[in-house]
């Protein structure tokens, strides 16, 4: 074998090796591309979300359970919708009460998506679903509060019964949403605030102040009446006690005087002359004072005693 033949054999061997390298590279590229394509079309469904798979714009399935899922490459797309409860702040609105008073109400709603397919089919977007929900809430709140007096809405006593009003509003709003198949559920509707229009506030405040003043005067009148009744009862009780005490004192005094007279009689009966002298001296005490001038005959009992004659 000459040198020319050896060179041709070597060239054919090298060409075969290069072809093998190219095939291996192409295969490796295809495998990598396939892996990239597979991983690119895998997606994770998280807790608290729906995954909506669309094909040419149409919803083909909804993934609700957390985990790993897939979509067909190029022809399918994936979007997310929240599964958790959300809060929507309803715009303030003005309504008329049963007694023709105007008030401004401010509500909020707690809601969630229950059926993503219905939401997409009938509301298209969450924003449109919230807009329809707000319309239903306003309509129901206006009807419910329109059957109540203004005082019943703003008084503290009514606050305890607002729970039942909110429950009725929530129930009716859900009936409307279910009727139109929007695929959402309202968990709760609550009133945050009830205000008066600015032009009515001052007149209402003035009326409230007048009512409070009237109530205060009523309490003061009741207090004065009760005070007068208590004073009258006390005065009557005091008079009764004083009368009773005076009667008891007179009785005790009469008994004392009787006892004293008995003792005097018992004592003086033992010496009548001494008793006569004692009574005469007592009459002097009552008759004669520091300014009295008495003219007595010399033989009068007073004069005889004063001059020391006892017989």
């Amino acid at each position: 074998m000459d040198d020319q033949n050896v060179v041709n054999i070597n060239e054919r061997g090298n060409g075969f090796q290069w072809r093998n390298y190219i095939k291996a590279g192409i295969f490796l590229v295809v495998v990598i591309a396939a892996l990239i394509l597979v991983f690119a079309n895998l997606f994770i469904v998280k807790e608290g979300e729906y995954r909506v798979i669309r094909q040419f714009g149409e919803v083909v399935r909804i993934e609700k359970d957390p985990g790993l899922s897939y979509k067909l490459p190029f022809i399918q797309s994936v979007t997310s919708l929240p599964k958790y409860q959300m809060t929507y702040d309803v715009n303030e609105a003005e309504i008329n009460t049963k007694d023709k008073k105007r008030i401004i109400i401010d509500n909020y709603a707690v809601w969630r998506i229950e059926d993503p397919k219905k939401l997409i089919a009938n509301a298209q977007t969450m924003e449109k679903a919230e807009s329809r929900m707000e319309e239903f809430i306003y309509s129901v709140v206006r009807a419910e509060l329109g059957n109540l007096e203004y005082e019943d809405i703003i008084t503290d006593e009514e606050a305890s019964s607002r729970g039942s009003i909110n429950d009725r509003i929530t129930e009716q709003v859900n009936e409307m949403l279910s009727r139109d198949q929007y695929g959402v559920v309202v968990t709760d509707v609550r009133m945050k605030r009830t205000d008066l229009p600015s032009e009515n506030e001052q007149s209402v405040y003035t009326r409230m102040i007048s009512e409070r003043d009237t109530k205060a005067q009523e309490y003061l009148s009741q207090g004065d009446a009760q005070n007068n009744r208590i004073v009258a009862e006390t005065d009557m009780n005091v008079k009764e006690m004083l009368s009773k005490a005076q009667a008891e004192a007179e009785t005790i005094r009469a008994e004392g005087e009787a006892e004293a007279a008995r003792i005097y009689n018992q004592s003086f009966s033992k010496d009548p002359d001494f008793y006569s002298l004692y009574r005469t001296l007592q009459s002097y005490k009552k008759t004669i004072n520091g300014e009295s001038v008495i003219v007595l005959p010399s033989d009068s009992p007073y004069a005889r005693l004063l001059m020391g004659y006892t017989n």
Side-chain angles (χ1 to χ4, degrees):
M1 184 179 295
D2 55 12
D3 294 338
Q4 185 64 37
N5 292 330
V6 171
V7 170
N8 291 333
I9 291 171
N10 289 334
E11 287 178 353
R12 289 196 297 272
N14 290 334
F16 180 76
Q17 288 179 352
W18 276 108
R19 285 195 295 273
N20 288 339
Y21 289 153
I22 292 172
K23 290 179 180 179
I26 292 173
F27 177 77
L28 183 60
V29 170
V30 171
V31 170
I32 292 173
L35 290 175
I36 291 174
L37 187 61
V38 169
F39 283 111
N41 288 278
L42 292 176
F43 60 88
I44 297 174
V45 182
K46 297 180 181 179
E47 189 74 32
E49 72 173 359
Y50 297 107
R51 285 288 197 164
V52 182
I53 296 90
R54 301 171 187 263
Q55 184 169 314
F56 303 118
E58 297 293 330
V59 177
V60 293
R61 76 176 193 275
I62 304 290
E63 293 291 344
K64 300 179 180 180
D65 299 326
L68 190 64
S69 188
Y70 70 94
K71 67 179 181 66
L72 296 179
F74 308 117
I75 63 173
Q76 291 184 343
S77 61
V78 181
T79 57
S80 297
L81 288 174
K83 193 176 180 181
Y84 50 81
Q85 293 194 136
M86 295 164 284
T87 302
Y88 180 69
D89 195 5
V90 182
N91 291 324
E92 292 182 356
E94 186 175 303
I95 67 169
N96 292 325
T97 62
K98 186 177 180 180
D99 52 349
K100 308 304 180 183
K101 300 290 180 61
R102 291 190 303 160
I103 62 172
I104 297 174
I105 57 171
D106 189 5
N107 297 323
Y108 73 90
V110 180
W111 69 288
R112 59 183 173 82
I113 300 172
E114 186 177 51
D115 192 332
K117 283 187 177 180
K118 290 182 179 179
L119 182 142
I120 294 170
N122 297 300
Q124 284 82 46
T125 63
M126 288 178 55
E127 289 73 17
K128 290 183 179 179
E130 288 178 334
S131 177
R132 293 297 294 158
M133 181 175 62
E134 180 175 1
E135 292 177 8
F136 293 155
I137 290 173
Y138 171 71
S139 175
V140 175
V141 169
R142 182 179 61 183
E144 284 291 330
L145 297 187
N147 292 325
L148 294 176
E149 301 283 345
Y150 174 73
E151 295 293 339
D152 295 333
I153 296 174
I154 66 171
T155 53
D156 293 337
E157 290 80 9
E158 182 61 21
S160 60
S161 64
R162 282 184 182 170
S164 60
I165 296 176
N166 292 328
D167 293 342
R168 292 199 303 271
I169 294 172
T170 302
E171 182 180 355
Q172 294 180 45
V173 171
N174 280 326
E175 289 175 358
M176 294 179 176
L177 292 170
S178 177
R179 178 197 62 197
D180 293 346
Q181 297 186 355
Y182 284 110
V184 299
V185 173
V186 175
T187 306
D188 195 12
V189 177
R190 293 284 166 178
M191 281 189 288
K192 292 191 300 183
R193 184 168 54 92
T194 57
D195 284 335
L196 290 165
S198 56
E199 61 271 18
N200 294 352
E201 285 184 356
Q202 188 58 47
S203 62
V204 172
Y205 291 154
T206 302
R207 181 174 58 82
M208 291 175 65
I209 292 171
S210 176
E211 290 177 353
R212 296 302 182 271
D213 288 341
T214 302
K215 200 67 175 176
Q217 290 299 324
E218 181 181 346
Y219 289 148
L220 289 173
S221 298
Q222 292 175 355
D224 290 340
Q226 187 172 5
N227 176 71
N228 293 334
R229 180 179 58 81
I230 293 173
V231 170
E233 290 178 355
T234 303
D235 291 342
M236 183 177 65
N237 291 333
V238 169
K239 289 179 180 179
E240 289 179 356
M241 288 188 290
L242 288 174
S243 299
K244 185 177 180 180
Q246 289 175 354
E248 291 178 353
E250 292 296 334
T251 302
I252 294 171
R253 185 179 296 108
E255 293 176 351
E257 290 178 353
E259 180 66 17
R262 185 187 64 80
I263 295 172
Y264 288 153
N265 292 332
Q266 184 178 2
S267 300
F268 295 149
S269 62
K270 296 179 180 180
D271 191 347
D273 294 336
F274 176 75
Y275 176 72
S276 176
L277 175 63
Y278 178 76
R279 295 296 293 173
T280 301
L281 292 176
Q282 278 189 328
S283 68
Y284 290 166
K285 183 177 180 181
K286 292 181 179 182
T287 304
I288 301 173
N289 53 37
E291 299 178 358
S292 299
V293 178
I294 301 175
V295 179
L296 300 174
S298 59
D299 57 349
S300 68
Y302 281 175
R304 292 177 61 82
L305 286 173
L306 290 175
M307 290 185 296
Y309 298 114
T310 57
N311 293 324

Coordinates of all heavy atoms in Angstrom, one line a residue, residues 43 51-55 58-63 69-72 76-79:
F43 N -45.8 24.9 35.4 CA -46.1 26.0 36.3 C -46.6 25.5 37.6 O -47.1 24.4 37.8 CB -47.1 27.0 35.7 CG -48.5 26.3 35.4 CD1 -49.5 26.3 36.3 CD2 -48.7 25.8 34.1 CE1 -50.7 25.7 36.1 CE2 -49.9 25.2 33.9 CZ -50.9 25.1 34.8
R51 N -55.4 28.9 38.8 CA -54.6 29.0 37.6 C -55.6 28.8 36.4 O -56.2 27.7 36.4 CB -53.5 28.1 37.6 CG -52.3 28.5 38.5 CD -51.6 29.7 37.9 NE -50.3 29.8 38.5 CZ -49.3 30.6 37.9 NH1 -49.5 31.2 36.8 NH2 -48.2 30.7 38.5
V52 N -55.7 29.7 35.6 CA -56.6 29.6 34.4 C -55.8 29.3 33.2 O -54.9 30.1 32.8 CB -57.4 30.9 34.2 CG1 -58.4 30.8 33.1 CG2 -58.2 31.3 35.5
I53 N -56.1 28.2 32.5 CA -55.4 27.8 31.3 C -56.3 28.1 30.1 O -57.4 27.6 30.1 CB -55.0 26.3 31.4 CG1 -54.0 26.0 32.5 CG2 -54.4 25.8 30.0 CD1 -54.6 25.7 33.8
R54 N -55.8 28.9 29.2 CA -56.6 29.2 28.0 C -55.9 28.7 26.8 O -54.7 28.6 26.7 CB -56.7 30.8 27.9 CG -57.3 31.5 29.1 CD -57.1 33.0 28.9 NE -57.6 33.7 30.1 CZ -58.8 34.3 30.2 NH1 -59.6 34.2 29.2 NH2 -59.1 35.0 31.3
Q55 N -56.7 28.3 25.8 CA -56.3 27.9 24.5 C -57.0 28.7 23.5 O -58.2 28.6 23.3 CB -56.5 26.4 24.4 CG -56.0 25.8 23.1 CD -56.1 24.3 23.1 OE1 -55.7 23.6 24.1 NE2 -56.5 23.7 22.0
E58 N -59.8 30.8 24.8 CA -60.9 30.1 25.5 C -60.3 29.4 26.7 O -59.3 28.8 26.7 CB -61.6 29.1 24.6 CG -62.2 29.7 23.4 CD -63.4 30.6 23.8 OE1 -64.1 30.3 24.8 OE2 -63.7 31.6 23.1
V59 N -61.1 29.4 27.8 CA -60.7 28.7 29.0 C -61.0 27.2 28.8 O -62.1 26.8 28.5 CB -61.5 29.2 30.2 CG1 -61.2 28.4 31.5 CG2 -61.3 30.7 30.5
V60 N -59.9 26.4 29.0 CA -60.0 25.0 28.8 C -60.0 24.2 30.2 O -60.6 23.2 30.3 CB -58.9 24.4 27.9 CG1 -59.0 25.0 26.5 CG2 -57.5 24.8 28.5
R61 N -59.4 24.8 31.2 CA -59.4 24.2 32.5 C -59.0 25.2 33.6 O -58.3 26.2 33.3 CB -58.6 22.9 32.6 CG -57.1 23.1 32.6 CD -56.4 21.7 32.8 NE -55.1 21.8 33.2 CZ -54.1 21.9 32.3 NH1 -54.3 22.0 31.0 NH2 -52.8 22.0 32.8
I62 N -59.4 24.9 34.8 CA -59.0 25.7 36.0 C -58.3 24.8 36.9 O -58.8 23.7 37.3 CB -60.2 26.3 36.7 CG1 -61.1 27.1 35.7 CG2 -59.8 27.1 37.9 CD1 -60.4 28.4 35.2
E63 N -57.1 25.2 37.3 CA -56.3 24.4 38.4 C -56.6 25.1 39.7 O -56.3 26.3 39.9 CB -54.8 24.4 38.0 CG -54.5 23.6 36.8 CD -54.7 22.1 37.0 OE1 -54.8 21.7 38.2 OE2 -54.7 21.4 36.0
S69 N -48.2 21.8 37.7 CA -49.1 21.5 36.6 C -48.4 21.9 35.3 O -47.3 22.4 35.3 CB -50.5 22.2 36.7 OG -51.4 21.7 35.7
Y70 N -49.1 21.7 34.2 CA -48.5 22.0 32.9 C -49.5 22.6 31.9 O -50.7 22.6 32.2 CB -48.0 20.7 32.3 CG -49.1 19.7 31.9 CD1 -49.6 19.7 30.6 CD2 -49.7 18.9 32.8 CE1 -50.7 18.9 30.2 CE2 -50.8 18.1 32.5 CZ -51.3 18.1 31.1 OH -52.3 17.3 30.8
K71 N -49.0 23.1 30.8 CA -49.8 23.6 29.7 C -49.1 23.2 28.4 O -47.9 22.9 28.3 CB -49.9 25.1 29.7 CG -48.6 25.9 29.5 CD -48.9 27.4 29.5 CE -47.6 28.1 29.3 NZ -47.1 28.0 27.9
L72 N -49.9 23.1 27.4 CA -49.4 22.8 26.0 C -48.6 24.0 25.5 O -49.0 25.2 25.6 CB -50.5 22.5 25.1 CG -51.3 21.2 25.4 CD1 -52.4 21.0 24.4 CD2 -50.4 20.0 25.5
Q76 N -51.3 27.3 24.5 CA -52.0 27.6 25.7 C -51.2 28.6 26.5 O -50.0 28.7 26.5 CB -52.1 26.3 26.5 CG -53.1 25.3 25.9 CD -53.3 24.0 26.8 OE1 -52.5 23.8 27.7 NE2 -54.4 23.3 26.5
S77 N -52.0 29.4 27.3 CA -51.4 30.4 28.2 C -52.0 30.3 29.6 O -53.1 29.7 29.8 CB -51.7 31.8 27.7 OG -53.1 32.1 27.6
V78 N -51.4 30.8 30.6 CA -51.8 30.7 32.0 C -51.9 32.0 32.6 O -51.0 32.9 32.5 CB -50.8 29.8 32.8 CG1 -51.3 29.6 34.2 CG2 -50.7 28.4 32.2
T79 N -53.0 32.3 33.3 CA -53.2 33.5 34.1 C -53.6 33.1 35.5 O -54.1 32.0 35.8 CB -54.2 34.4 33.5 OG1 -55.5 33.7 33.3 CG2 -53.7 35.0 32.2

